[in-house]
Structures are given as structure tokens and as C-alpha cells.
Amino acid sequence: MTGKELNAQDDCIFCKIIAGDFNTDFVYQDDYVVAFDDISPQAPVHTLIVPRQHVINLEDNPDPELLKHLFSAVSKVAQIKGVNESGYRIIQNNGRGAGQTVFHLHVHVLGGKRFSEGMA
Ligand code: AMP
Ligand code: ZN
């Protein structure tokens, strides 16, 4: 574990993925985040961007520096996945009521299809 992988939680699936326990292919990685494809894709492109540090969600007082790196990775991932020109949607769920099922902060990057103009 590097200094950036703070607070790794034994029972957290994303901490295990970040630690390399499942030999997951990383679409992108840097000192702060890793990105990997969602196991249950909801669009032709569905990639998750996950901070190396275990933070539950935006209500868990994440370091603004970490958020800067998390959101800076979005366009890089979109380029790598080839959806930066066609367009992509990002989703980030906070809490069970919003549909969060993995309690390690992450941003969904969805693309490769035409989305409706609504939000829900
Ligand atoms: P959320 O509902 O916002 O918490 O999103 C959690 C996402 O993690 C879902 O889209 C799941 O399909 C995805 N997911 C859960 N386990 C894995 C895994 N082992 N590898 C990749 N994606 C996963
Ligand atoms: Zn975690």
C-alpha cells in the first residue's frame, strides 16, 4: 500500500480492486485514482473512476485535492474509451437513497450510446 491508499477497508470491494487482489485491468491510473470497467455495464462504455483513498462518498469530507484529481481523470478516461467527441455522461451516487451500492467514492463514466435529455 502506498501513502495515497489511506484507510483501505478490508471489506471494501473497490479497496481490494485497487490493491490488485483481482488483477483488474485498469483503464487509467495515476497517484490518486484508478479507473476500471463496471462489472455490470449500463452502456457500451461504462467505466468507474475511484480514488485510491477509501472515502465513502461526498459526505465523507473528501480532500478537495483528491476531488480535483478525480474530476481531472474524467476527460482522460473519456478519451481513452473513445467517447470524448461523441459525448458521455457522468453519474456519482451519494448514499443508499441515491442508489449507491458500493460505499467507496466513485464516478461512473457512461458513453457509446445516445442518452435521453432528461436526468432521471
Ligand atoms: P453505485 O451504485 O453508484 O454504488 O455503483 C457501484 C457500481 O459498482 C455498480 O455499477 C456495480 O455494477 C459496480 N461494481 C460492483 N462490483 C464491481 C466489481 N467487482 N468490478 C467492477 N464493478 C463493480
Ligand atoms: Zn474502499
Side-chain angles (χ1 to χ4, degrees), residues 5-24:
E5 288 154 6
L6 302 172
N7 309 322
Q9 305 281 300
D10 287 345
D11 57 349
C12 173
I13 186 77
F14 285 179
C15 282
K16 290 186 176 132
I17 288 172
I18 292 160
D21 288 5
F22 306 115
N23 288 320
T24 306

Side-chain angles (χ1 to χ4, degrees), residues 3-78:
K4 300 262 166 39
E5 288 154 6
L6 302 172
N7 309 322
Q9 305 281 300
D10 287 345
D11 57 349
C12 173
I13 186 77
F14 285 179
C15 282
K16 290 186 176 132
I17 288 172
I18 292 160
D21 288 5
F22 306 115
N23 288 320
T24 306
D25 283 332
F26 293 146
V27 169
Y28 170 81
Q29 61 179 312
D30 61 29
D31 284 349
Y32 293 86
V33 305
V34 304
F36 49 88
D37 288 335
D38 197 290
I39 201 170
S40 177
Q42 304 299 306
V45 170
H46 187 172
T47 301
L48 303 174
I49 309 175
V50 181
R52 291 183 183 275
Q53 181 177 2
H54 181 89
V55 179
I56 296 168
N57 59 35
L58 292 180
E59 294 304 306
D60 193 22
N61 197 27
D63 183 347
E65 188 70 13
L66 185 153
L67 296 178
K68 187 177 90 180
H69 288 277
L70 186 64
F71 278 86
S72 294
V74 170
S75 174
K76 292 173 185 164
V77 167

